Amino acid sequence: MVPKLLALFGLKFNPFSPDLPTEALLSSARIENFCWRIENAHLREGGFALVTGDPGTGKSATLRLLATRLARLRDVTVGSITRPQSRLADFYREMGEIFGVPLHPHNRWGGFKALRNCWQTYIESTLSRPVLLVDEAQEATTAVLSELRLLSSVDFDSRVILSVVLAGDRRLTDRFRSVPITDVWLAQLQVTSPQFPKFAFDINIQAGEDVNFIEPDRATFLLAGLLGDFRPSTQLRATTSYNLVRRDRESDGNRFSTQQVARAKLEYQLSRSVFFRIVGQYVVDEQAALIDPTTGFPLLKRNSGGVYVRTTARGVNELQMNWLFSYRPTPGTVLFFGYGSDLVEPEAFKFEGLERVRDGFFIKLSYLFRV
């Protein structure tokens, strides 16, 4: 933007330039609060802080403002990682250059020990932690993030000797929530019959181990699917199916969830114009209360009132019945009459104490006018 345009709008700097000086950046109340917490708490306590958001929301600008404010403080060492995607050897080279410690990448233990000794000496003389800023932290490898965590803690995790501020998009927070997807396995058995004139069937069974993203934890699972199609006559057809999904926690072996769907459909063509269909479906959906897989403590969930409460186990045993009558006297003219009901019961497949919760009727008449 030419100076004449800047003067026309009363601007000192080009607001669209990526290299705006720090004094021209807007520091909102949230950014001020974040920087204050870093200066007055994080520097003394150490640990990890996180700046996250969608691309273009100002994460890097926030780090620039924070770095400028920290640089004004006395006896505060601030460093920044310029290549977060580096492997461990290059990571140690850059850490040695940032904190002025001669490191040899081939001697990983020596570099680990030298950095920690440097930081502990610094803390004893200044009573504040050195600060490491990492922009685009979602590009960092898991090995580098793990090394940072181990470097920054001493005395069996009772004391933290480094303050780390990470900035990254949602991929970074997703990585923190996830568990490594390794050592998973799957076994599958499938049997499919030929299409016989009177019947056909399909059986599909899977068992294995994968990630339960709800808690999250590893879980062993069993999937079973059975399908049968029977045609005893040209007028009668019956289709049945059963699907089971069961998951057990790997941490304690207890049942986490069970879903079962049993379905039967019967169709009967009484005549060319009259058709009946009955569909019955039984759904079982059970899930245990959520717990932390590491500590075993219950997980909390924010309710509509903004209060965090424990999650509770849930279970639904629902029977759905649907009936349909179709009458088609002539092509283009058809009458549909249907009825559906939903019933629930406390125990699965007991068919005792069924309670009706929903009913529905519908009538549809279609007529084709010829002109």
Side-chain angles (χ1 to χ4, degrees), residues 105-362:
H106 62 273
N107 185 2
R108 191 80 47 80
W109 162 242
F112 185 90
K113 183 178 180 181
L115 280 173
R116 286 159 64 103
N117 289 338
C118 171
W119 294 338
Q120 292 189 73
T121 303
Y122 176 85
I123 293 172
E124 291 173 358
S125 60
T126 64
L127 300 180
S128 63
R129 271 71 176 161
V131 182
L132 182 67
L133 307 179
V134 185
D135 196 13
E136 303 296 339
Q138 75 276 356
E139 304 294 341
T141 64
T142 302
V144 167
L145 293 175
S146 299
E147 199 74 11
L148 264 178
R149 181 182 64 83
L150 296 174
L151 274 170
S152 62
S153 63
V154 295
D155 298 334
F156 303 102
D157 287 340
S158 63
R159 194 159 66 96
V160 182
I161 58 175
L162 179 67
S163 296
V164 182
V165 181
L166 304 175
D169 57 28
R170 293 181 180 179
R171 288 176 291 171
L172 181 61
T173 55
D174 291 342
R175 287 177 60 187
F176 290 154
R177 294 191 186 101
S178 67
V179 295
I181 306 179
T182 57
D183 301 328
V184 297
W185 60 273
L186 173 67
Q188 182 175 5
L189 171 66
Q190 184 168 8
V191 179
T192 302
S193 73
Q195 194 71 27
F196 295 112
K198 297 292 186 180
F199 72 95
F201 67 87
D202 181 81
I203 302 174
N204 185 12
I205 301 176
Q206 297 182 26
E209 182 182 60
D210 65 357
V211 178
N212 178 12
F213 291 97
I214 299 178
E215 284 189 327
D217 190 11
R218 293 180 183 274
T220 57
F221 67 88
L222 173 66
L223 281 71
L226 309 175
L227 175 65
D229 188 13
F230 305 94
R231 298 175 298 277
S233 68
T234 57
Q235 294 177 290
L236 181 64
R237 179 174 182 175
T239 305
T240 60
S241 64
Y242 173 76
N243 292 281
L244 166 69
V245 180
R246 191 180 71 193
R247 293 183 179 273
D248 297 330
R249 294 188 178 104
E250 184 191 56
S251 55
D252 56 12
N254 292 332
R255 182 68 48 80
F256 172 72
S257 65
T258 302
Q259 287 84 36
Q260 302 179 71
V261 179
R263 178 183 172 91
K265 181 172 68 172
L266 182 65
E267 298 175 332
Y268 184 64
Q269 190 80 38
L270 181 62
S271 64
R272 187 174 182 179
S273 59
V274 179
F275 171 78
F276 292 96
R277 183 174 66 195
I278 302 174
V279 179
Q281 179 171 282
Y282 197 102
V283 178
V284 177
D285 188 2
E286 300 173 340
Q287 180 179 296
L290 303 182
I291 63 172
D292 186 284
T294 303
T295 64
F297 294 154
L299 295 181
L300 305 182
K301 182 179 181 180
R302 188 176 183 180
N303 61 18
S304 58
V307 179
Y308 287 90
V309 296
R310 290 187 179 187
T311 60
T312 58
R314 60 175 173 83
V316 176
N317 306 308
E318 185 177 33
L319 174 63
Q320 302 170 357
M321 295 296 300
N322 296 282
W323 310 73
L324 176 68
F325 168 77
S326 172
Y327 177 59
R328 186 183 181 188
T330 60
T333 302
V334 60
L335 170 67
F336 292 106
F337 175 77
Y339 167 71
S341 62
D342 295 348
L343 304 97
V344 296
E345 61 176 345
E347 295 186 52
F349 296 108
K350 293 295 184 180
F351 299 100
E352 298 175 357
L354 286 169
E355 179 183 353
R356 193 181 307 273
V357 293
R358 281 181 297 271
D359 285 286
F361 296 87
F362 79 90

Side-chain angles (χ1 to χ4, degrees), residues 48-60:
F48 286 77
L50 177 64
V51 181
T52 184
D54 293 328
T57 53
K59 302 182 296 296
S60 299

